[in-house]
Amino acid sequence: MKNIKEIPVRQRNIVLIGFMGVGKTTIGQLVANKLSRDFIDVDQEIEKKYNMTIPEMFQQKGEAFFRQAEKDYIVHLCEHTQSKIVSLGGGAFKQEEIKRACLQHCTVLFLDISWENWKQRLDELIENRPVLHNRTIDEMKDLFEERREMYAFHHTRVDTDHLEAEEVADDIVDALKLG
Ligand code: S3P
């Protein structure tokens, strides 16, 4: 495969970042269908590789193990693939190497949501998100704001507030065509 730096913008992987529960997987899958591209959910790939769920991995192996697996998987993906739609875990951009590889080799889309809207989804997402366990709502808000600063490193911001996943996916496809 030729040096990935030479890959034209339109063939680069499209990477979705954003806070837990914003809809990266659902929206990513829809965008992939609309563009007839392969979809990769990084957390699901890690779960398959290690044959355990993310909460099990946090519990049995620890967060550091998960972060290493996450970094290895994403950096390799950025450097060796193209034309994929990729959904990242919400904490992936904490790692400088992941952030750098994605921004250099891929088109990074930040799926944004307001705190008020996100808060309403909490009940349905908390169980499978170990990072949220044992945090008060104020601590979750602090994390939400901290992460938002981290997501500031992106190519395009996509607003998801008051939109169905399908509408967001259409917005993304339009933005990619215009871009
Ligand atoms: C995490 C987000 C999760 C998953 C893991 C850690 C985080 O992914 O990678 O539980 O630190 O924000 P989603 O953003 O898909 O929920």
Side-chain angles (χ1 to χ4, degrees):
M1 188 172 163
K2 66 180 179 175
N3 185 332
I4 196 139
K5 284 182 197 141
E6 296 166 26
I7 290 177
V9 171
R10 286 180 182 280
Q11 287 168 33
R12 288 186 191 168
N13 290 336
I14 292 161
V15 167
L16 304 184
I17 62 167
F19 204 53
M20 288 163 271
V22 70
K24 298 181 292 286
T25 302
T26 309
I27 294 165
Q29 183 70 72
L30 288 168
V31 171
N33 292 349
K34 287 174 194 287
L35 297 176
S36 301
R37 290 200 187 186
D38 292 337
F39 174 65
I40 296 177
D41 180 276
V42 171
D43 285 345
Q44 285 172 8
E45 294 304 316
I46 293 172
E47 288 182 329
K48 273 191 251 165
K49 181 171 177 195
Y50 292 95
N51 198 25
M52 60 175 79
T53 65
I54 303 290
E56 281 167 355
M57 190 174 283
F58 268 67
Q59 206 182 12
Q60 294 170 28
K61 305 258 187 195
E63 180 171 352
F65 182 93
F66 167 72
R67 296 297 174 199
Q68 183 68 46
E70 183 179 46
K71 183 169 74 186
D72 292 347
Y73 188 89
I74 298 170
V75 171
H76 185 271
L77 186 83
C78 290
E79 292 177 350
H80 296 93
T81 65
Q82 57 185 47
S83 300
K84 313 241 180 264
I85 310 296
V86 184
S87 157
L88 260 51
F93 258 40
K94 278 207 311 188
Q95 302 194 70
E96 205 50 45
E97 278 171 86
I98 295 182
K99 191 163 77 181
R100 204 177 323 120
C102 290
L103 290 167
Q104 184 180 354
H105 301 302
C106 313
T107 298
V108 178
L109 306 185
F110 164 41
L111 301 191
D112 202 3
I113 186 170
S114 65
W115 167 252
E116 290 308 318
N117 280 324
W118 183 82
K119 225 172 33 173
Q120 290 168 21
R121 301 184 183 181
L122 182 56
D123 285 350
E124 64 198 66
L125 60 89
I126 193 159
E127 189 183 336
N128 295 320
R129 304 312 198 289
V131 169
L132 297 177
H133 297 173
N134 306 316
R135 282 186 202 257
T136 64
I137 193 79
D138 286 345
E139 286 166 346
M140 287 185 204
K141 186 162 194 275
D142 289 346
L143 181 70
F144 181 89
E145 281 163 8
E146 208 178 277
R147 291 285 179 84
R148 227 169 157 270
E149 285 173 25
M150 186 176 93
Y151 305 136
F153 296 85
H154 58 257
H155 296 115
T156 302
R157 177 183 160 279
V158 181
D159 204 350
T160 68
D161 274 336
H162 312 298
L163 293 173
E164 296 295 328
E166 192 75 41
E167 295 172 298
V168 179
D170 284 336
D171 286 351
I172 290 175
V173 171
D174 287 347
L176 291 170
K177 280 184 190 148
L178 291 172

